[in-house]
Amino acid sequence: MREKELRLALICYGGVSLAVYMHGITKEIWRLARASQAQHDPLADPEPGDDLYRVLLADIEAEFGLKLRVLVDVIAGASAGGINGIFLGQAIATGQSLEPLTDLWLDSADVETLLDPDARPLSRFTKLWAMPLAWYLTGRRGGTVQRTVEKGARQEVRTKLSHFVRARWFEPPFGGKIFDDLIFDAFDAMAEAQPGPPLLPTEQPLDLFVTVTDFHGHPERLRLHSPEEVVETEHRLIIPFSDRRTSPRYLGDPAELVFAARATASFPGAFPPFTVRELDAVVERRKRVWPSRDEFLARILPNQAAVGSVEKTVLIDGSVLANAPFRPAVTALRDRPAKREIERRFVYIDPTPNMRAVRLPGSAPQSDLPGFFMTIFGALSDIPREQPIRDNLDAIEARSSRIRRTTRIIDAIRPEVEQAIEAAFGKTLFLNRPTPARLSSWRAKAQDLAARQSGYAYASYGHLKLSGVVEDIVGLLTDLLPARERSRSQVRAAVWSAVREAGIADVGALSVGGASETVIQFFRHHDLGFRIRRLRLLAQQIEEIGASDDCPREAVELVRTVIFDELSRYLARQMPDFYGAEMKEAVRVVIDKPRAVLDALAAARDLKIVDGEADTALASALSALPRPERRRMLLAYLGFPFYDIATLPLLAVDGQDEFQPIKVDRISPDDASTIREGGAQATLKGIQFNNFGAFFSRAYRENDYLWGRLHGAERLIDIVVSALPKGKVLPAGRVLAIKKRLFRAILRDERPRLSRIEELIETLEREVG
């Protein structure tokens, strides 16, 4: 059975009250991940609500011989998307349920709950001067309420909108501490429910990123030619969480997750800016403990911690400057474990595509020249929030193009490389069964041959490889240092000084004839990238062999398992959490004694032992292959130095990442039209009042939550089906039938809970058929 992982990296946009809609989508993502785990883990208890996702995965397995596992291992979010991303991340890492959150969203995401007590109108006479405005918004014939709100919900919306309009002006109407309490309540509700197992394999980390805006900004030093250093103010902040190598899996203290959720959703004008002091007061009032407080604050606010200004830091909504946080998600792909074939997807959730998140009423058509206030308002709010993601998608496509180009280059030069290998080793070489000693000997001979035959190209390749290895070491050592002692530039200077002192970077150390013995030893101790790239090439070869029916499946699976097992061991040694307290203590002297730290790192990695064990495992696995397939794998293995010399310049920034092109998918109302076309305008209520609409009506929230589940389910089926092997498809009618079964199950499941939209549910049942 061919195995494949569909790995999802989620990018969750902001959307104010459309957070309720996004909860519906993330709930379906959680259900799919849970169904996938139950499909692959016989000890996992299946949940009735996940049955149809399991049916789809089982059908794919039975019909195409593909055991597809769906994982969510990277989440990045801003504002409303940040909150939903945090909740989803907690559910994936801990196995807790998202079910308790639904009632909290429906009950508590309400303007009457969120209003600060000091901002609530005490009587109908409060702020008499605002009464005409309240009437204009709520009671005017033909106004927004009458045009957009169902008759049964109009009184509720009018009452709450009137209270909101007559709340205090020129100060945020919503309460920050109220928001903190609601988020704490949500995490408590998740913790109290019966948990299941975590939704990721033990070795697979979950990385979560939440964007925040530092209102006053913090200084960042930039290196120039002249002057050598300048200081600029940076306002963008990313709060990272990861459960790497924690047992049990653990993203962070609940107070830290509340910190990130409250800060990222501090929508300007609606919520007061967030400070640590606010959260400290809530933690104390709730009689909670936060033992990792100082460590957490030093990690996410290192500049402020260094000057003692953490408590004075003011944070506002993360979507102000980074509403589509693709970049941290791309960075998180580095050094992820690989146990089987991988297809990487970036899935971004955009609740209102092509609609401005914030709009002035009566604004001029886009073709007209904007006026004075519209220009200022757009510069301060609309334009930064609504910047398209073209730059992010272009960067992802450029990375994927480099990978595809590398594959084409390898295919083009393969005949000449194989001819060179056969000429050097003799065709009878491939009649022999590989042993660990033979693999080691053949490998050394092939590397020497590639260096000699590549001519002048080898010197440039060698220096490029050396720079990459040193930069990887610099990054690792910097991450191993305590947050307050990290200075990448100082670590880089120290490591390069040790490299130059050892003669590794001398002009003649990497030349036309190959590398000096000193350089060879350095690569043997530290060049993880070369080993990783070689195993990735072998993984590609065995996938191609396994795609045909000419080779015994057992032999293919054995080789594939060995390749990914050994690959994961090398990948682990690139990660800071591989190293224990001894190495973390040793690295603290890197500035003064970099040579000693490099020796300690080499000892901790112990690549000589790992290489020997990899040779043993590979030799045994390759011996099980029939002769033609074994020959192909050995030619790829021995020819890899030639391929690496030819392609490393293309992959200098990507050579150690997941070695597959990335595909990007979107989940939005515009993309889910099986039930109803028209996008957000035809389906969502929360888009009213500048996306605050769902805060004014439980019926609005029920509406948007239900559509979130339906839209999420439809798009997830599309994404899963699109991961089938090349040339394999499910008939369109069959896919549609699966969608309709899932739609009906969602409507049946939610009918008892959604008491305010019975008419909508009946309409949807007719539309689904």
Side-chain angles (χ1 to χ4, degrees):
M1 183 68 64
R2 181 179 178 182
E3 293 190 5
K4 183 177 181 179
E5 285 183 3
L6 178 59
R7 294 185 180 178
L8 306 183
L10 297 181
I11 314 297
C12 305
Y13 285 20
V16 197
S17 77
L18 291 171
V20 182
Y21 171 74
M22 299 177 76
H23 168 63
I25 294 174
T26 54
K27 192 171 180 179
E28 287 306 300
I29 294 171
W30 168 67
R31 286 182 176 277
L32 172 60
R34 195 169 56 172
S36 176
Q37 182 195 60
Q39 181 69 13
H40 291 78
D41 184 358
L43 299 180
D45 294 328
E47 294 286 339
D50 309 327
D51 283 348
L52 291 172
Y53 289 119
R54 291 192 67 190
V55 168
L56 175 61
L57 296 173
D59 285 351
I60 290 173
E61 183 174 332
E63 186 160 341
F64 301 107
L66 177 65
K67 203 174 184 67
L68 184 66
R69 181 160 192 171
V70 184
L71 306 176
V72 180
D73 63 340
V74 180
I75 303 172
S79 194
I83 292 180
N84 278 288
I86 292 169
F87 288 142
L88 179 61
Q90 179 76 342
I92 290 171
T94 64
Q96 293 175 359
S97 174
L98 286 184
E99 285 291 349
L101 296 188
T102 300
D103 288 335
L104 284 171
W105 276 115
L106 297 177
D107 293 338
S108 302
D110 190 277
V111 65
E112 301 283 66
T113 302
L114 295 171
L115 276 178
D116 190 295
D118 294 335
R120 295 172 183 172
L122 301 179
S123 74
R124 65 188 184 92
F125 299 107
T126 303
K127 261 177 35 181
L128 286 173
W129 58 269
M131 291 295 287
L133 180 60
W135 173 86
Y136 177 83
L137 290 174
T138 64
R140 186 169 62 94
R141 183 181 298 276
T144 300
V145 173
Q146 188 170 8
R147 284 187 291 104
T148 64
V149 181
E150 291 84 357
K151 188 174 182 180
R154 286 175 190 167
Q155 186 57 45
E156 177 191 13
V157 173
R158 284 180 175 134
T159 300
K160 293 177 179 178
L161 187 56
S162 174
H163 290 173
F164 181 76
V165 169
R166 294 187 294 121
R168 62 187 178 193
W169 279 38
F170 308 114
E171 288 187 58
F174 294 154
K177 293 180 181 179
I178 292 174
F179 198 6
D180 291 330
D181 279 324
L182 290 175
I183 302 170
F184 266 122
D185 290 343
F187 284 118
D188 289 346
M190 291 178 67
E192 291 170 4
Q194 181 65 33
L199 299 184
L200 285 172
T202 304
E203 72 281 353
Q204 185 75 18
L206 172 67
D207 287 303
L208 168 66
F209 304 94
V210 183
T211 65
V212 175
T213 303
D214 182 352
F215 184 80
H216 295 299
H218 54 275
E220 291 283 355
R221 299 183 183 277
L222 304 176
R223 301 296 297 271
L224 307 179
H225 173 259
S226 175
E228 292 186 356
E229 185 176 86
V230 297
V231 176
E232 288 203 347
T233 301
E234 175 62 77
H235 294 270
R236 294 169 298 179
L237 277 178
I238 295 176
I239 303 178
F241 297 93
S242 181
D243 65 353
R244 292 173 184 265
R245 296 184 180 277
T246 58
S247 182
R249 300 188 78 122
Y250 178 78
L251 280 176
D253 189 277
E256 294 161 14
L257 300 176
V258 172
F259 180 110
R262 166 70 176 90
T264 193
S266 183
F267 192 87
F271 290 96
F274 174 72
T275 64
V276 180
R277 291 172 179 168
E278 174 190 299
L279 184 59
D280 285 340
V282 174
V283 168
E284 182 178 0
R285 174 168 49 76
R286 294 177 71 103
K287 295 182 171 55
R288 302 183 73 108
V289 293
W290 184 9
S292 55
R293 175 189 182 277
D294 294 342
E295 180 184 350
F296 170 74
L297 295 176
R299 178 172 69 85
I300 66 165
L301 301 171
N303 293 294
Q304 294 87 337
V307 297
S309 63
V310 166
E311 282 76 12
K312 298 178 182 178
T313 301
V314 176
L315 304 177
I316 63 174
D317 195 289
S319 69
V320 171
L321 296 177
N323 193 44
F326 277 81
R327 181 171 296 179
V330 173
T331 304
L333 300 187
R334 181 177 175 82
D335 307 328
R336 305 193 81 73
K339 288 287 189 181
R340 55 192 59 85
E341 181 186 359
I342 296 163
E343 181 166 335
R344 168 62 68 186
R345 298 293 182 91
F346 269 56
V347 179
Y348 70 98
I349 304 174
D350 183 358
T352 55
N354 302 315
M355 292 175 58
R356 285 194 180 278
V358 180
R359 304 176 301 281
L360 280 178
S363 58
Q366 291 187 1
S367 59
D368 292 348
L369 188 67
F372 177 78
F373 287 108
M374 280 299 299
T375 302
I376 294 176
F377 190 82
L380 293 178
S381 60
D382 279 359
I383 293 175
R385 292 171 57 82
E386 305 301 334
Q387 272 297 295
I389 60 171
R390 179 180 297 278
D391 291 347
N392 297 303
L393 297 184
D394 285 349
I396 291 172
E397 177 56 29
R399 176 190 184 277
S400 298
S401 295
R402 286 194 297 271
I403 292 174
R404 289 191 292 266
R405 196 176 306 129
T406 299
T407 301
R408 289 195 294 269
I409 291 172
I410 291 174
D411 290 340
I413 67 176
R414 177 177 285 124
E416 295 179 22
V417 171
E418 292 182 351
Q419 184 178 358
I421 294 294
E422 289 184 338
F425 287 87
K427 292 186 177 182
T428 57
L429 162 73
F430 303 104
L431 300 176
N432 296 323
R433 289 185 177 274
T435 65
R438 284 174 178 166
L439 274 186
S440 178
S441 173
W442 294 345
R443 184 173 65 240
K445 184 177 179 179
Q447 289 178 204
D448 181 65
L449 178 66
R452 286 188 284 104
Q453 291 196 4
S454 60
Y456 291 107
Y458 184 79
S460 61
Y461 160 77
H463 282 285
L464 178 62
K465 185 164 78 159
L466 175 63
S467 295
V469 172
V470 172
E471 284 303 309
D472 285 342
I473 292 172
V474 169
L476 174 65
L477 297 181
T478 302
D479 289 341
L480 289 173
L481 285 169
R484 295 184 180 182
E485 299 177 23
R486 290 176 186 167
S487 172
R488 192 181 185 98
S489 60
Q490 289 184 328
V491 174
R492 178 184 289 110
V495 173
W496 273 111
S497 70
V499 168
R500 295 189 182 99
E501 183 181 329
I504 296 170
D506 289 352
V507 174
L510 287 158
S511 63
V512 174
S516 69
E517 185 59 31
T518 304
V519 175
I520 291 173
Q521 289 302 317
F522 180 79
F523 285 156
R524 284 178 178 170
H525 288 310
H526 296 291
D527 191 2
L528 287 165
F530 180 87
R531 296 162 166 92
I532 290 168
R533 294 191 297 274
R534 181 173 59 204
L535 285 172
R536 293 217 185 272
L537 178 64
L538 293 184
Q540 285 184 322
Q541 295 299 305
I542 199 62
E543 293 301 337
E544 293 177 9
I545 290 172
S548 70
D549 298 327
D550 300 332
C551 189
R553 303 301 304 170
E554 296 81 0
V556 169
E557 286 305 317
L558 174 61
V559 174
R560 181 187 285 123
T561 299
V562 167
I563 289 172
F564 282 108
D565 282 349
E566 299 309 317
L567 179 59
S568 66
R569 298 178 69 193
Y570 290 120
L571 288 169
R573 283 163 169 76
Q574 291 188 316
M575 303 307 299
D577 44 21
F578 173 81
Y579 302 92
E582 185 176 349
M583 185 66 217
K584 291 179 180 178
E585 183 62 31
V587 78
R588 300 187 73 161
V589 300
V590 64
I591 306 302
D592 300 321
K593 300 178 180 179
R595 188 72 176 270
V597 174
L598 288 177
D599 290 342
L601 180 61
R605 283 175 163 169
D606 203 8
L607 291 183
K608 183 177 180 180
I609 297 296
V610 179
D611 289 344
E613 293 171 350
D615 286 341
T616 300
L618 275 174
S620 175
L622 293 176
S623 296
L625 289 174
R627 188 170 295 167
E629 287 76 17
R630 185 168 72 241
R631 176 181 181 277
R632 178 176 174 177
M633 293 296 292
L634 284 172
L635 282 171
Y637 184 78
L638 299 177
F640 177 74
F642 292 87
Y643 301 133
D644 204 44
I645 291 170
T647 61
L648 184 62
L650 280 174
L651 293 176
V653 295
D654 295 313
Q656 298 159 37
D657 297 344
E658 294 174 344
F659 194 77
Q660 292 290 338
I662 296 174
K663 298 177 182 177
V664 181
D665 299 288
R666 183 178 75 173
I667 299 178
S668 81
D670 288 6
D671 310 314
S673 58
T674 298
I675 301 177
R676 184 182 297 179
E677 296 182 348
Q681 294 284 1
T683 56
L684 304 186
K685 298 296 185 181
I687 61 175
Q688 299 299 323
F689 310 126
N690 282 340
N691 287 349
F692 278 78
F695 290 149
F696 292 97
S697 169
R698 162 125 189 171
Y700 273 24
R701 294 192 292 279
E702 290 186 4
N703 176 91
D704 288 3
Y705 161 69
L706 180 61
W707 277 112
R709 286 201 63 185
L710 295 170
H711 287 166
E714 177 174 351
R715 293 296 293 132
L716 289 173
I717 290 175
D718 292 337
I719 291 168
V720 169
V721 170
S722 70
L724 291 174
K726 188 176 182 180
K728 307 291 186 181
V729 294
L730 280 173
R734 189 165 165 195
V735 174
L736 180 59
I738 294 172
K739 288 182 180 180
K740 287 191 172 184
R741 288 179 62 193
L742 187 50
F743 294 156
R744 287 192 289 266
I746 290 172
L747 294 172
R748 186 172 57 250
D749 182 37
E750 294 295 349
R751 180 182 281 276
R753 189 202 319 257
L754 307 181
S755 59
R756 306 285 183 91
I757 56 169
E758 293 179 356
E759 183 177 341
L760 172 65
I761 292 176
E762 292 175 0
T763 301
L764 288 174
E765 287 175 340
R766 290 193 298 270
E767 292 182 32
V768 171

